[in-house]
Amino acid sequence: ERFAVWLISWKGQKGQSAEEGGCALKMKVKRGKKARKLMAFYSTHFGFHEPFQVLIDGTFCQAALTTRTHIKERLPKYLTAEVQLLTTKCVLAELDQLGEDFLGAKLLCKRFMTRKCGHKSPLVASECIKSLIGEANPGRYAVATQDSSLTRALAHVPGVPIIILNNTALVLEKPSKASLRFVAQQNARKLQVPQSEAQQLQFLNAQANPLAALQQQQNADSKPKAKKRKHKSGPNPLSCKKKKAPSADKKTDRPASSSAPSSASAS
């Protein structure tokens, strides 16, 4: 009986582990499809091509060591493409300054190709990567990092794929708002007709339908022109002048003139 109970429990555990393994495999396949779609987006709109260049900093290497993630094997499988793993002298110098705690991350970074950053005195790794990306990412770099401040800064630059480690899973983040805005502007420009082509189309339409073009011109000429509004003018300054008061000499002259006839009648 004990053996039967053990056998039943063992079969249950085996079935449960098989189901968990199947779910994990499905999730892995979904992540791979999503990553391929996102890299196709960057290839179409930003000119990315294989081998994809991935800049890796010390934080990503440290996370890969703690989770025992083999970057060289996992990244090409995750993106299903050829990948060129890169780092910079500034990243290696920063790991060297951090001491023995990051010695493993430094040794891991040294296995990757070193991209020339042009900094004579080493910068902070995040500043070095930001200088390589610039304002438009001309080198077509993807960035693998666990530095949240760096990812926030790179989100303002269109066309920068960000790869992070979520526990042991590689995750290619969604395109930033700056990337989507850039693509929308590019599509809007493609839909706009240049002025020279618009004039040529009007000319061809006029040749194909002369009557319609003539009628359209007549309708445009027959439209009533907008009347100009007259601005209210102020009162005439001459009409606003005050009347002059009669002088005192004129007032005294009037009774004198009236007294002359009365004296003549008396005589």
Side-chain angles (χ1 to χ4, degrees):
E1 290 179 359
R2 289 180 181 178
F3 176 75
V5 171
W6 174 82
L7 184 62
I8 292 169
S9 63
W10 178 75
K11 284 183 178 180
Q13 289 176 2
K14 188 177 179 181
Q16 187 177 0
S17 62
E19 288 178 2
E20 289 176 356
C23 291
L25 183 61
K26 286 180 181 179
M27 290 296 293
K28 189 176 181 180
V29 170
K30 283 183 179 179
R31 284 196 299 269
K33 286 182 178 180
K34 188 177 179 181
R36 285 196 297 273
K37 285 182 180 179
L38 292 177
M39 289 312 297
F41 169 83
Y42 287 109
S43 299
T44 303
H45 299 290
F46 296 98
F48 280 71
H49 57 83
E50 294 187 37
F52 296 125
Q53 300 184 96
V54 183
L55 280 173
I56 299 176
D57 69 349
T59 61
F60 193 83
C61 290
Q62 185 68 16
L65 285 174
T66 54
T67 56
R68 296 180 181 180
T69 303
H70 200 291
I71 300 173
K72 276 191 172 182
E73 288 182 2
R74 292 280 303 280
L75 261 177
K77 288 181 181 179
Y78 175 62
L79 299 176
T80 59
E82 292 183 14
V83 175
Q84 191 174 10
L85 304 179
L86 308 170
T87 190
T88 65
K89 289 182 179 179
C90 296
V91 173
L92 295 172
E94 185 182 65
L95 290 171
D96 196 12
Q97 290 177 358
L98 291 172
E100 294 182 357
D101 293 337
F102 291 85
L103 180 60
K106 181 186 174 182
L107 294 174
L108 181 58
C109 266
K110 279 187 173 181
R111 296 180 182 178
F112 309 141
M113 228 171 145
T114 305
R115 177 66 73 203
K116 291 182 180 180
C117 56
H119 301 131
K120 293 181 181 179
S121 57
L123 299 177
V124 180
S126 58
E127 294 297 325
C128 176
I129 291 173
K130 281 192 275 186
S131 70
L132 284 174
I133 297 297
E135 295 182 357
N137 193 12
R140 305 293 183 267
Y141 297 115
V143 179
T145 181
Q146 298 295 102
D147 188 351
S148 57
S149 62
L150 179 59
T151 55
R152 283 195 299 269
L154 295 179
H156 297 288
V157 182
V160 183
I162 304 293
I163 301 170
I164 62 170
L165 264 172
N166 186 8
N167 293 328
T168 58
L170 291 166
V171 178
L172 177 60
E173 293 190 342
K174 293 180 180 179
S176 63
K177 291 181 180 179
S179 298
L180 297 175
R181 195 183 305 117
F182 177 84
V183 172
Q185 290 174 356
Q186 291 293 105
N187 292 335
R189 286 174 188 171
K190 289 178 183 178
L191 294 174
Q192 287 179 354
V193 180
Q195 189 175 2
S196 58
E197 291 184 8
Q199 291 176 355
Q200 190 174 2
L201 286 172
Q202 287 178 359
F203 178 72
L204 292 173
N205 287 332
Q207 284 186 339
N209 299 318
L211 293 176
L214 182 62
Q215 187 177 2
Q216 187 177 3
Q217 187 176 1
Q218 288 177 355
N219 292 335
D221 295 338
S222 63
K223 285 183 180 179
K225 295 182 179 180
K227 294 181 179 180
K228 293 182 179 180
R229 293 185 179 180
K230 293 183 178 180
H231 296 286
K232 290 183 179 181
S233 57
N236 191 352
L238 296 175
S239 64
C240 295
K241 284 186 176 182
K242 293 182 179 180
K243 293 181 179 181
K244 291 182 179 181
S247 61
D249 297 336
K250 289 183 179 181
K251 287 181 181 180
T252 53
D253 290 343
R254 284 180 185 175
S257 61
S258 60
S259 61
S262 60
S263 60
S265 62
S267 60

